[in-house]
Amino acid sequence: MIPAVLPTYNRVPLTFVSGEGSWLVEADGRRFLDLGAGIAVNCLGHAHPALTKALTDQAGQVWHLSNLYNIPSQQALADKLVDATFADTVFFTNSGTEACELAVKMARKYWYEKGEDRSEIITFSGSFHGRSSAGIAAAGSEKMTKGFGPLLPGFTHLEFGDHDALKAAVSDKTAAILIEPVQGEGGIRPVPDQCLKGLRDICDQTGALLIFDEVQCGVGRTGKLFAHEWAGISPDIMMVAKGIGGGFPLGAVLATENAAFGMTAGTHGSTYGGNPLGCAVGNAVMDIVGSDEFLAEVNRKAGLLRQKLEGLVADNPDVFEGVRGSGLMLGLKCKVTNMDVVTAGYGQNVLTVPAADNVVRLLPALNITDEDIAAATDKLDSAAKTLSFE
């Protein structure tokens, strides 16, 4: 008999009943150090007082308003995002998947309004853009698409890092190039700054729109508010989610006025997108994560964690191959099966997240303490020792 909850997840037999900071408490009382943060969602950890207050204060006023009316917290959050980024305008969604749907629509509508037959979107192997029709068609992998045809057409899939293939693929039919500045599900693979600059150059030369998926790598995760800032360039459209809500379902599409000009009244909508609860929390997140002081601390902690992880790899050469990533979006490339490392971590009360390319993801809260960073590497070392061949 099928269970009441559709069995699309392989769940670990752990039930967490409370959390604070970087720690979660299991129903049996065990405390786990959370290095996954809900897969880069809980950017300020669990039960952060500023987020809790923002949510409860708003809940005491109004929970939901239709987008037929003005929503003050939505306008305030949009203003903060516009002021802090390349964008001129913002549309709020409930998730990264929904953000992908709009980004694809926006790029295609742009060319339709210009009267040009350009609908092709170029994407890359190892990418993950959600599990909707557009999201899986954009990723293109068999794992994502098998059994779900016919797929949404118009996507060209290239090998990650194949510059020659990219140059050959861009044509007068190319509407946009869609890429994650740092691949998350694909195995914590940063796109080099010079490659992001090259993509910007190609788009400028051909008129194609540049879309960045910063659902996982954005909102302070790499030590800048958004990962593409390290390259000194900006996209035309950007997908945001996960960290922006600090754990509350919230996403957004940010765009330039030019890229968004086709999206007029009635071309897109959302019942819950930009609701007062989500935007109240999003405002609190931006007030904290958007400060220079906070981002400087993310970079300092990222350096500390990476240094300790390099030591972990050196001490466990038969388990780990190396460290990769940016900021507090790091991956341990494994020599043993990555799920063995994740499972061994459960035995040491530490939570990590698997990814492709045999990588274990470390996506801790951005405000993780130095003491918890030390505890994390100690626990990971203990987990690795259970897998060592020595």
Side-chain angles (χ1 to χ4, degrees), residues 227-241:
H228 69 266
E229 295 174 28
W230 289 107
I233 52 96
S234 60
D236 301 292
I237 301 170
M238 180 169 67
M239 300 153 47
V240 179

Side-chain angles (χ1 to χ4, degrees), residues 27 38 49 65 69 71 76 80 94 101 105 110 131 215 267 275 293 296 301 327 332 347 351 366 386:
L65 289 170
Y69 312 109
I71 301 175
K80 288 174 184 176
N94 304 287
E101 292 290 319
K105 286 179 65 176
Y110 173 86
R131 297 183 183 273
V215 169
T267 56
N275 67 81
E293 296 78 11
K301 291 173 182 178
L332 288 167
L351 305 177
L366 303 181
T386 69

Side-chain angles (χ1 to χ4, degrees), residues 171-385:
S171 71
D172 58 4
K173 298 296 183 183
T174 303
I177 298 173
L178 168 58
I179 194 168
E180 300 156 271
V182 184
Q183 285 192 347
E185 303 291 329
I188 310 296
R189 297 198 294 180
V191 179
D193 289 350
Q194 64 267 29
C195 293
L196 290 178
K197 291 177 181 178
L199 289 172
R200 180 70 272 175
D201 289 342
I202 288 172
C203 288
D204 289 343
Q205 292 161 10
T206 63
L209 298 175
L210 181 58
I211 306 173
F212 284 158
D213 181 340
E214 292 228 17
V215 169
Q216 190 164 149
C217 64
V219 193
R221 179 57 51 186
T222 66
K224 295 280 191 182
L225 186 57
F226 291 102
H228 69 266
E229 295 174 28
W230 289 107
I233 52 96
S234 60
D236 301 292
I237 301 170
M238 180 169 67
M239 300 153 47
V240 179
K242 289 187 181 288
I244 189 64
F248 195 95
L250 180 64
V253 172
L254 282 63
T256 64
E257 182 177 8
N258 177 56
F261 91 99
M263 302 305 297
T264 54
T267 56
H268 199 67
S270 173
T271 296
Y272 294 107
N275 67 81
L277 291 172
C279 288
V281 178
N283 274 293
V285 168
M286 279 295 294
D287 288 344
I288 297 170
V289 176
S291 74
D292 291 339
E293 296 78 11
F294 185 89
L295 293 171
E297 271 294 282
V298 171
N299 282 301
R300 185 189 65 79
K301 291 173 182 178
L304 176 62
L305 177 56
R306 185 156 197 146
Q307 180 183 43
K308 288 183 175 293
L309 291 176
E310 296 286 2
L312 173 72
V313 170
D315 290 343
N316 298 276
D318 51 351
V319 177
F320 300 117
E321 182 177 317
V323 184
R324 60 170 69 164
S326 177
L328 289 175
M329 185 176 184
L330 297 174
L332 288 167
K333 173 71 171 174
C334 300
K335 292 182 178 177
V336 299
T337 303
N338 62 347
M339 274 309 302
D340 288 345
V341 176
V342 173
T343 302
Y346 297 145
Q348 302 300 322
N349 291 20
V350 63
L351 305 177
T352 59
V353 183
D357 201 26
N358 206 34
V359 166
V360 171
R361 275 180 283 179
L362 307 179
L363 306 163
L366 303 181
N367 57 347
I368 187 172
T369 65
D370 290 7
E371 292 77 15
D372 288 345
I373 288 174
T377 48
D378 286 345
K379 288 176 178 292
L380 289 170
D381 183 65
S382 296
K385 292 295 191 286

Side-chain angles (χ1 to χ4, degrees), residues 18-305:
S18 65
E20 184 176 1
S22 292
W23 294 84
L24 284 167
V25 179
E26 217 272 346
D28 63 9
R30 288 177 295 161
R31 296 177 74 246
F32 283 74
L33 182 52
D34 183 7
L35 300 183
I39 313 184
V41 169
N42 298 308
C43 63
L44 296 174
H46 301 281
H48 190 282
L51 273 58
T52 300
K53 184 178 188 303
L55 183 61
T56 53
D57 286 353
Q58 183 62 54
Q61 298 171 27
V62 60
W63 286 31
H64 176 74
L65 289 170
S66 166
N67 279 298
L68 293 172
Y69 312 109
N70 295 322
I71 301 175
S73 60
Q74 182 184 122
Q75 183 66 56
L77 182 54
D79 288 341
K80 288 174 184 176
L81 288 167
V82 166
D83 289 345
T85 70
F86 70 94
D88 300 309
T89 189
V90 182
F91 183 96
F92 290 105
T93 67
N94 304 287
S95 67
T97 291
E98 289 183 18
C100 178
E101 292 290 319
L102 174 54
V104 169
K105 286 179 65 176
M106 184 180 288
R108 288 177 170 167
K109 187 65 155 53
Y110 173 86
W111 290 109
Y112 173 83
E113 293 295 336
K114 283 184 169 292
E116 295 190 36
D117 181 19
R118 296 176 67 160
S119 59
E120 178 187 86
I121 296 175
I122 293 174
T123 62
F124 300 90
S125 62
S127 64
F128 182 87
H129 303 294
R131 297 183 183 273
S132 62
S133 293
I136 64 172
S141 64
E142 182 180 13
K143 177 182 177 181
M144 297 293 296
T145 62
K146 187 176 181 180
F148 298 114
L151 300 177
L152 185 68
F155 292 92
T156 297
H157 307 102
L158 304 179
E159 282 301 308
F160 183 86
D162 190 334
H163 300 98
D164 291 337
L166 173 63
K167 291 175 182 177
V170 177
S171 71
D172 58 4
K173 298 296 183 183
T174 303
I177 298 173
L178 168 58
I179 194 168
E180 300 156 271
V182 184
Q183 285 192 347
E185 303 291 329
I188 310 296
R189 297 198 294 180
V191 179
D193 289 350
Q194 64 267 29
C195 293
L196 290 178
K197 291 177 181 178
L199 289 172
R200 180 70 272 175
D201 289 342
I202 288 172
C203 288
D204 289 343
Q205 292 161 10
T206 63
L209 298 175
L210 181 58
I211 306 173
F212 284 158
D213 181 340
E214 292 228 17
V215 169
Q216 190 164 149
C217 64
V219 193
R221 179 57 51 186
T222 66
K224 295 280 191 182
L225 186 57
F226 291 102
H228 69 266
E229 295 174 28
W230 289 107
I233 52 96
S234 60
D236 301 292
I237 301 170
M238 180 169 67
M239 300 153 47
V240 179
K242 289 187 181 288
I244 189 64
F248 195 95
L250 180 64
V253 172
L254 282 63
T256 64
E257 182 177 8
N258 177 56
F261 91 99
M263 302 305 297
T264 54
T267 56
H268 199 67
S270 173
T271 296
Y272 294 107
N275 67 81
L277 291 172
C279 288
V281 178
N283 274 293
V285 168
M286 279 295 294
D287 288 344
I288 297 170
V289 176
S291 74
D292 291 339
E293 296 78 11
F294 185 89
L295 293 171
E297 271 294 282
V298 171
N299 282 301
R300 185 189 65 79
K301 291 173 182 178
L304 176 62
L305 177 56

